[in-house]
Amino acid sequence: MLKMKSTCETCAASLSDDAEAFICSYECTYCPTCTADHRVCPNCAGELVRRPRRTTGVAEIARRAPARLRRKIRGTGR
């Protein structure tokens, strides 16, 4: 699961799960303003792409999923 970091790594701006943000393949996270300044990740020089927005929590996903998937989402490993 994608780690949704809550702050920009450059300016420490607050980023909620549904806020616009940009990430690299290592999940370094930046706000739109800092992304415009960097254009690439300053940590790894990787491509910065728009981070998907999370609109539902794990509980909502589990409620919608079939029983066989619910076990994996909740972490039982079965």
Side-chain angles (χ1 to χ4, degrees):
M1 186 180 296
L2 179 66
K3 184 175 182 180
M4 301 291 275
K5 296 179 182 173
S6 60
T7 58
C8 173
E9 294 194 27
T10 300
C11 70
S14 179
L15 301 168
S16 63
D17 287 348
D18 62 348
E20 182 178 27
F22 293 82
I23 60 173
C24 72
S25 62
Y26 292 101
E27 297 181 19
C28 299
T29 306
Y30 303 96
C31 70
T33 303
C34 291
T35 299
D37 292 342
H38 299 316
R39 298 193 181 148
V40 296
C41 178
N43 296 330
C44 68
E47 177 184 22
L48 292 172
V49 297
R50 188 179 308 268
R51 179 181 76 177
R53 294 181 182 174
R54 191 167 287 162
T55 58
T56 58
V58 173
E60 177 65 19
I61 294 168
R63 186 185 67 74
R64 294 179 186 181
R68 64 183 172 77
L69 293 178
R70 256 187 241 141
R71 288 190 298 270
K72 290 181 181 177
I73 291 171
R74 290 188 182 152
T76 63
R78 295 182 195 180

